[in-house]
Amino acid sequence: CVVCVMCVGVCECVLCVCEECTYVLTLAVDFAENQSCSQSNLLFHFNIFFLPQAVVQSVMNRPQYFADRLYHAMHGAGTDDDTLVRIIVTRSEVDMVQIKECFFNTHKKSLSHRIADDCSGDYKKILQAIVGE
C-alpha cells in the first residue's frame, strides 16, 4: 500500500496505510503498557502514530500540508533549514502560489514576511526571491 501511495497517490491506498498504521500503533501501545519500554522504543511508536496523519494531509490538501511544514520549520527557537530549503526549492515551480495562500490564510502572515523574520542576509534574499513577493 505504501508503494501505491508514493507512486500513484490513490486515496484508497491512503486508507489502507492508515488502517495498517492504526493496527500497528494499537499493538505498540498494548506492548508498551504491558512491558517496560526503552525511550527509543517509545519514540518509534510515537513516530508511527503520526505517519498516517502526514500521508492523509499531503494527499487531501497538499498546499496546506506544505504550508504547515514551512510554518513548523520556522516556528520556535532556530530554523529547520533543511526542511525550509527543500520545500521552497522543490515546490517553487509546482504549487508555491497555493502554498503561500494557505500559509497566509492559516497563519495570518505572508510566507515572505515570515522568512524575513526568521532568516537574514543573502540566505533570506534568495529564499524570498524563490518564493516571490
Side-chain angles (χ1 to χ4, degrees), residues 26-105:
T26 303
L27 293 177
V29 169
D30 289 344
F31 176 78
E33 289 174 351
N34 296 322
Q35 305 287 323
S36 60
C37 288
S38 68
Q39 186 176 3
S40 62
N41 282 341
L42 290 175
L43 182 60
F44 172 74
H45 302 317
F46 180 76
N47 287 335
I48 286 175
F49 177 73
F50 287 103
L51 175 65
Q53 181 181 0
V55 171
V56 170
Q57 285 177 342
S58 71
V59 169
M60 299 307 284
N61 188 348
R62 192 164 300 227
Q64 184 64 53
Y65 171 76
F66 286 115
D68 292 341
R69 293 289 313 255
L70 287 167
Y71 175 78
H72 290 296
M74 294 181 282
H75 185 69
T79 303
D80 183 354
D81 292 314
D82 291 340
T83 299
L84 185 63
V85 170
R86 184 177 64 248
I87 292 172
I88 289 175
V89 170
T90 59
R91 308 310 295 182
S92 64
E93 293 183 355
V94 181
D95 53 2
M96 186 54 73
V97 172
Q98 294 89 350
I99 291 170
K100 290 190 307 185
E101 289 172 4
C102 288
F103 191 94
F104 183 79
N105 292 336

Side-chain angles (χ1 to χ4, degrees), residues 1 3 16 50 59 77-78 80 95 109 111 118-119 124:
C1 281
V3 173
C16 177
F50 287 103
V59 169
D80 183 354
D95 53 2
K109 202 175 208 183
L111 179 57
D118 214 60
C119 304
K124 173 182 80 172

